[in-house]
Amino acid sequence: MYKRQKATLRIASTDYGTITTLRPLCSVLLQQAPGVNLEISNFTPSSFNMIEQGELDLALYADYSIPGDFHYRKLFDENYSLLVRKGHPLIECYEQHGHLKEDQLAKWPRAEMQFPSTSLMHNDTVMNINSPESSGVRIRSPYFLAIVGVIEDSDTIIAMPNRMCSYAQAHYDVKALPLNDTDEFSYLAI
């Protein structure tokens, strides 16, 4: 008689990876692998050491500065959109002109993501606005979903990865507007 295997898969991730990658995986695991448990922990600079020591099985990561001899696989390439609340004046600007200019973006308070790297938390400075009239970065956070709530409730704007923007539009009163000339990044399983 076949005996059901039991296993625990330990993965380090940010909330971005949890929403874009692990959420669909959880659905599959629950249906097709009832003996597999999933433990998700915060991705931190020490996650690499935890993989080496066998405390983690996998990490989801978006930076190519991977230390040591780690093996990885690219899951997908990602780009950015501008996330604003529904009814934000920038939506009308975009609809009239088909794009947004730096001086239009500079007028609004901005949020930036902080993400863990191999040594510290780095800011995600996709909207590198150098206008003297700039409202500046008012909020920095390592949590995508916390920032989405701020965007929904204010005139604050943020450049956010497209997959997170899609999720946010489906669950919050926000709208994503395409941004021109943003850097693409690859998302990796390590």
Side-chain angles (χ1 to χ4, degrees), residues 94-112:
Y94 179 80
E95 290 171 352
Q96 287 178 355
H97 305 288
H99 64 279
L100 295 168
K101 296 179 182 176
E102 182 179 327
D103 62 330
Q104 293 169 315
L105 299 175
K107 296 175 185 175
W108 302 99
R110 295 188 311 281
E112 280 184 348

Side-chain angles (χ1 to χ4, degrees), residues 4-171:
R4 183 180 292 178
Q5 295 294 316
K6 297 237 181 235
T8 299
L9 184 59
R10 299 159 304 169
I11 302 173
S13 179
T14 64
D15 64 339
Y16 170 79
T18 301
I19 295 288
T20 63
T21 307
L22 295 179
R23 186 171 181 248
L25 175 64
C26 287
S27 297
V28 172
L29 283 177
L30 289 170
Q31 292 177 351
Q32 297 180 14
V36 176
N37 296 318
L38 190 61
E39 287 182 12
I40 303 167
S41 61
N42 290 334
F43 183 92
T44 66
S46 65
S47 294
F48 292 105
N49 291 337
M50 294 173 75
I51 291 172
E52 285 179 324
Q53 295 168 6
E55 296 170 25
L56 286 173
D57 301 304
L58 185 73
L60 300 176
Y61 193 56
D63 188 356
Y64 277 115
S65 60
I66 300 169
D69 244 358
F70 288 92
H71 297 280
Y72 66 90
R73 177 172 296 225
K74 181 168 76 168
L75 299 176
F76 53 81
D77 290 321
E78 181 70 290
N79 212 320
Y80 292 88
S81 291
L82 182 73
L83 195 67
V84 299
R85 68 171 170 80
K86 284 188 179 171
H88 196 287
L90 284 173
I91 297 170
E92 186 178 333
C93 291
Y94 179 80
E95 290 171 352
Q96 287 178 355
H97 305 288
H99 64 279
L100 295 168
K101 296 179 182 176
E102 182 179 327
D103 62 330
Q104 293 169 315
L105 299 175
K107 296 175 185 175
W108 302 99
R110 295 188 311 281
E112 280 184 348
M113 296 307 303
Q114 291 179 304
F115 59 94
S117 186
T118 53
S119 58
L120 51 96
M121 297 292 284
H122 290 279
N123 290 325
D124 188 354
T125 56
V126 175
M127 286 189 295
N128 190 14
I129 297 174
N130 296 313
S131 172
E133 291 101 36
S134 175
S135 292
V137 175
R138 303 286 309 278
I139 299 168
R140 288 186 176 92
S141 173
Y143 305 111
F144 283 90
L145 290 180
I147 291 292
V148 171
V150 170
I151 300 303
E152 180 182 45
D153 293 337
S154 71
D155 284 335
T156 304
I157 64 174
I158 188 169
M160 193 169 276
N162 288 333
R163 284 173 175 79
M164 186 57 79
C165 285
S166 294
Y167 179 84
Q169 285 185 125
H171 298 283

